[in-house]
């Protein structure tokens, strides 16, 4: 049994990570061509099998940041045909009046999230520790390390709380 619905006045919003969509867009945008001035494919940063053997977190963070920027540029160039090639049915894609993409959070954005909002994590810790007459101070370097950890884990802003809690857990109970 099917139920008929008039979708004329319904706005479809479809959000998600769409893992692999950048490869579909990459095939369309950077199709190999012959001749002088032919565009080169930019697949090095998009390869999921890329693993950095260096243990330096700064290098891994830089690679992840570059990969995020390249992926963001591809998502900005998405067209309905890319979504169909990705696997969505054309009848559904045809209902999207606009296709937009969002950019991932940078390290600076993550540091701002830790300190700027009215009820930020760092302000919460200041109030919590002030109850025990402790003046809480955190350096910019510490904020950056927390942001780097969240960025390298791929957890973004949602991971900031758990990382901060883990770092400051012992300090809370020593006081």
């Amino acid at each position: 049994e099917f139920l008929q619905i008039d979708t004329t006045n319904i706005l479809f919003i479809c959000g998600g990570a769409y893992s692999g969509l950048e490869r579909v867009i990459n095939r369309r945008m950077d199709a190999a061509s012959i001749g002088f001035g032919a565009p080169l494919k930019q697949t090095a940063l998009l390869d999921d099998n890329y693993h950095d053997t260096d243990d330096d977190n700064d290098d891994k963070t830089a690679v992840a940041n570059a990969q995020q920027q390249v992926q963001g540029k591809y998502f900005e160039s998405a067209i309905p045909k890319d979504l169909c090639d990705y696997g969505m049915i054309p009848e559904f894609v045809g209902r999207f009046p606009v296709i937009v993409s969002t950019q991932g959070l940078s390290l600076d954005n993550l540091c701002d999230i830790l300190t700027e909002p009215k009820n930020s994590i760092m302000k919460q810790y200041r109030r919590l520790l002030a109850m025990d007459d402790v003046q809480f101070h955190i350096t910019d370097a510490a904020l950056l390390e927390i942001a780097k950890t969240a960025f390298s884990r791929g957890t973004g802003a949602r991971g900031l709380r758990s990382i901060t809690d883990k770092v400051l857990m012992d300090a809370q109970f020593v006081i």
Side-chain angles (χ1 to χ4, degrees):
E1 176 178 332
F2 289 101
L3 180 63
Q4 293 286 333
I5 298 175
D6 180 16
T7 60
T8 305
N9 295 318
I10 296 176
L11 174 64
F12 288 91
I13 299 175
C14 192
Y18 300 103
S19 179
L21 178 60
E22 69 275 6
R23 287 184 186 82
V24 173
I25 299 167
N26 183 23
R27 280 195 305 266
R28 176 182 53 83
M29 289 182 57
D30 295 333
S33 59
I34 301 172
F36 294 106
L40 299 175
K41 285 192 158 225
Q42 299 176 356
T43 58
L45 291 173
L46 297 174
D47 186 6
D48 277 347
N49 297 323
Y50 177 81
H51 295 289
D52 192 356
T53 56
D54 189 5
D55 289 333
D56 188 14
N57 276 343
D58 290 339
D59 289 342
K60 289 180 181 179
T61 302
V63 169
N65 193 25
Q67 183 177 10
Q68 183 180 17
Q69 288 176 353
V70 170
Q71 187 179 39
K73 289 189 186 303
Y74 278 111
F75 282 153
E76 288 174 359
S77 303
I79 59 173
K81 183 182 182 324
D82 296 330
L83 297 175
C84 292
D85 292 344
Y86 182 68
M88 292 186 173
I89 58 173
E91 292 80 6
F92 188 59
V93 173
R95 295 290 185 176
F96 300 147
V98 178
I99 298 174
V100 296
S101 67
T102 57
Q103 296 292 323
L105 297 171
S106 69
L107 290 174
D108 290 335
N109 296 140
L110 292 171
C111 287
D112 289 344
I113 290 168
L114 283 168
T115 58
E116 297 297 322
K118 182 179 177 182
N119 195 22
S120 71
I121 297 170
M122 293 303 129
K123 290 176 184 174
Q124 290 176 24
Y125 270 102
R126 274 194 196 93
R127 285 192 295 270
L128 178 68
L129 295 173
M131 290 180 196
D132 293 321
D133 296 324
V134 175
Q135 186 177 7
F136 178 68
H137 174 74
I138 188 162
T139 64
D140 290 339
L143 289 171
L144 186 60
E145 283 303 314
I146 292 170
K148 281 182 182 179
T149 303
F151 191 87
S152 65
R153 289 181 184 174
T155 56
R158 293 180 185 197
L160 292 173
R161 166 62 75 180
S162 64
I163 294 165
T164 306
D165 287 347
K166 185 175 182 181
V167 169
L168 295 175
M169 184 67 66
D170 292 336
Q172 290 181 56
F173 293 106
V174 169
I175 300 170

